[in-house]
């Protein structure tokens, strides 16, 4: 089973069972140990996962953290667990202390629902006050699962995660700033727009007027973006222009079984963003089938740009077409890998445009 599916299944389990889970130990057994297993570790192998890990052998009062994940017999991540009903914020001091009593580079504070990952980005050997990565397992986003996969045993690399952690720290901070500004625009934020659209002096009355204008405009803009994306997706699902009645009838049964996934739509938007540098995006369409997801030009099946083969549980592929419309499938690890084939996609587009 794919890592993404494992995480989503565990999230569904948490939703169904959490009302029946009453204690911290039950939370560990039902939610957190399965999570560690999702990361590829054998929770029953003390060479990989150590429960009740002793953090400081020299201390008079021995401190123990719930779990430590080992690599080459050394702790690389410590995990402190709480009951699923606990607010994790009030347990920061505890995980902060444990972090400094080990050589682990990462600390995870979790209640089996919320997972907060910490490291020492601000000052070396001093755990940051805020997590660089957080997610709710009952509602994981695609990008969050992608980031979480970096902690999987099969690809765990400290330097890769630290690089990603630095980026996540600032992207999360930017998201928080934007969310706050959208909810309640600050004077500095409003002044930025006033200086670009208003020629007069930014008096108190003008600022008051523009504060409401900025908030309302931001709401409308984001609503329009969401609406456009939804309408785009709906428009792309219209029936294909079949070449014959026989073909239409034969496709009727199979089309009823087709389910366009979020990954396929996101892949479509990536290809669309690449192609729109040369043509109007309204000329780019998709057709879904049971085996692959086809992206075409001018709503014409004879003008395939590429195909996304994402339905396999093991590997994913991007199908690229040459000048003779011969398809070559290349393996991709994530949808972002599509950008690596920008030149090939634009070349395919050029082949059709030059034939006009």
């Amino acid at each position: 089973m794919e890592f993404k599916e494992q995480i989503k299944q565990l999230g569904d389990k948490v939703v169904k069972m959490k009302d029946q889970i009453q204690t911290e130990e039950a939370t560990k057994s039902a939610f957190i140990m399965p999570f560690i297993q999702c990361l590829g570790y054998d929770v029953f192998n003390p060479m990989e996962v150590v429960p009740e890990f002793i953090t400081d052998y020299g201390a008079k009062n021995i401190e123990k953290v719930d779990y430590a994940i080992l690599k080459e017999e050394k702790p690389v991540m410590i995990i402190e667990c709480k009951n699923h009903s606990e607010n994790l914020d009030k347990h920061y001091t505890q995980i902060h202390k444990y972090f400094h009593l080990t050589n682990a580079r990462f600390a995870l504070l979790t209640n089996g629902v919320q997972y907060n990952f910490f490291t020492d980005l601000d000052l070396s050997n001093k755990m940051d006050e805020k997590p660089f990565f957080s997610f709710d397992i009952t509602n994981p986003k695609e990008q969050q699962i992608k980031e979480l996969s970096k902690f999987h045993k099969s690809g765990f690399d400290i330097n890769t995660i630290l690089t990603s952690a630095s980026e996540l720290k600032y992207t999360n901070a930017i998201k928080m700033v934007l969310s706050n500004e959208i909810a309640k625009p600050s004077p500095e934020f409003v002044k930025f727009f006033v200086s670009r659209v208003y020629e007069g002096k930014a008096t108190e009355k003008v600022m008051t007027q523009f504060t409401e204008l900025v908030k309302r405009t931001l709401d409308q803009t984001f609503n329009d973006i969401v609406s456009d994306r939804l309408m785009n997706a709906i428009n792309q699902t219209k029936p294909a222009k079949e070449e014959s009645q026989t073909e239409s009838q034969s496709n009727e049964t199979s089309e009823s079984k087709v389910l366009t996934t979020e990954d396929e739509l996101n892949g479509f938007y990536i290809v669309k963003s690449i192609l729109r540098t040369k043509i109007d995006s309204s000329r780019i369409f998709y057709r879904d089938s049971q085996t692959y997801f086809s992206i075409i030009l001018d709503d014409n099946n004879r003008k395939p740009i590429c195909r996304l083969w994402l339905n396999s549980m093991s590997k994913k592929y991007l199908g690229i077409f040459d000048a003779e419309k011969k398809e070559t499938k290349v393996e991709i690890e994530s949808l972002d890998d599509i950008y690596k084939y920008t030149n090939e996609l634009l070349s395919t587009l050029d082949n059709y445009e030059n034939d006009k």
Side-chain angles (χ1 to χ4, degrees), residues 258-292:
V258 173
L259 176 63
T260 301
T261 66
E262 184 176 354
D263 272 356
E264 288 171 332
L265 285 176
N266 286 334
F268 170 70
Y269 293 124
I270 289 174
V271 174
K272 197 170 185 177
S273 69
I274 292 172
L275 300 181
R276 70 188 302 170
T277 61
K278 285 199 171 186
I279 62 170
D280 192 303
S281 61
S282 64
R283 296 178 59 192
I284 309 166
F285 294 79
Y286 72 71
R287 304 284 171 77
D288 203 356
S289 69
Q290 287 180 271
T291 53
Y292 59 80

Side-chain angles (χ1 to χ4, degrees), residues 48-82:
E48 292 187 4
V49 181
V50 180
E52 295 296 301
F53 182 77
I54 299 174
T55 59
D56 189 350
Y57 291 97
K60 292 182 179 180
N61 297 319
I62 295 176
E63 299 284 357
K64 295 180 180 180
V65 65
D66 288 310
Y67 298 101
I69 292 179
L70 306 186
K71 185 175 182 181
E72 298 176 355
E73 301 183 2
K74 296 180 180 179
V76 290
M77 182 163 67
I78 56 173
I79 304 174
E80 181 61 21
C81 309
K82 300 300 171 186

Side-chain angles (χ1 to χ4, degrees), residues 26 65 86 124 144 162 172 185-186 199 296:
V65 65
E86 287 281 326
S124 180
Q144 291 175 331
L162 287 175
N172 290 335
S186 66
E199 295 182 358
I296 59 179

Side-chain angles (χ1 to χ4, degrees), residues 5-192:
E5 294 304 318
Q6 290 179 326
I7 293 299
K8 289 185 176 180
Q9 283 193 11
L10 179 56
D12 292 340
K13 175 184 176 182
V14 171
V15 171
K16 293 176 183 178
M17 294 182 60
K18 68 178 182 179
D19 290 339
Q20 284 73 49
I21 301 297
Q22 303 298 323
T23 66
E24 182 178 307
E25 288 302 316
T27 300
K28 290 182 190 177
S29 299
F31 301 157
I32 299 170
M33 288 178 67
F35 173 78
I36 297 173
Q37 289 176 314
C38 285
L39 293 181
Y41 296 96
D42 182 354
V43 294
F44 303 108
N45 181 354
M47 300 301 291
E48 292 187 4
V49 181
V50 180
E52 295 296 301
F53 182 77
I54 299 174
T55 59
D56 189 350
Y57 291 97
K60 292 182 179 180
N61 297 319
I62 295 176
E63 299 284 357
K64 295 180 180 180
V65 65
D66 288 310
Y67 298 101
I69 292 179
L70 306 186
K71 185 175 182 181
E72 298 176 355
E73 301 183 2
K74 296 180 180 179
V76 290
M77 182 163 67
I78 56 173
I79 304 174
E80 181 61 21
C81 309
K82 300 300 171 186
N83 187 297
H84 69 85
S85 62
E86 287 281 326
N87 183 338
L88 295 179
D89 291 342
K90 62 183 182 181
H91 297 288
Y92 167 81
T93 302
Q94 185 180 11
I95 191 69
H96 180 273
K97 176 176 65 175
Y98 293 159
F99 184 82
H100 294 288
L101 293 175
T102 72
N103 293 321
R105 292 305 308 272
F106 305 103
L108 170 58
L109 178 61
T110 179
N111 57 12
V113 179
Q114 185 71 25
Y115 288 79
N116 293 342
F117 291 80
F118 296 86
T119 188
D120 54 350
L121 294 174
D122 294 332
L123 291 174
S124 180
N125 300 319
K126 182 179 180 181
M127 196 180 88
D128 300 333
E129 292 185 5
K130 295 182 179 180
F132 68 86
F133 175 50
S134 299
F135 80 100
D136 182 335
I137 200 166
T138 65
N139 185 30
K141 306 297 188 295
E142 292 292 328
Q143 185 61 32
Q144 291 175 331
I145 295 177
K146 180 180 176 182
E147 293 297 335
L148 180 63
S149 68
K150 295 173 183 176
F151 287 92
H152 196 279
K153 176 185 173 183
S154 62
F156 187 97
D157 180 81
I158 291 177
N159 291 330
T160 298
I161 298 175
L162 287 175
T163 299
S164 176
S166 180
E167 294 177 356
L168 283 171
K169 173 186 175 181
Y170 293 110
T171 55
N172 290 335
I174 291 170
K175 287 180 182 178
M176 182 63 69
V177 170
L178 282 174
S179 296
N180 292 336
E181 293 292 359
I182 291 170
K184 188 178 180 180
S186 66
E188 295 80 10
F189 191 66
V190 174
K191 201 166 187 177
F192 170 82

Side-chain angles (χ1 to χ4, degrees), residues 217-230:
T217 302
L218 287 174
D219 288 339
Q220 292 173 350
T221 301
F222 281 104
N223 286 336
D224 287 345
I225 291 172
V226 173
S227 178
D228 287 346
R229 181 165 181 172
L230 288 174

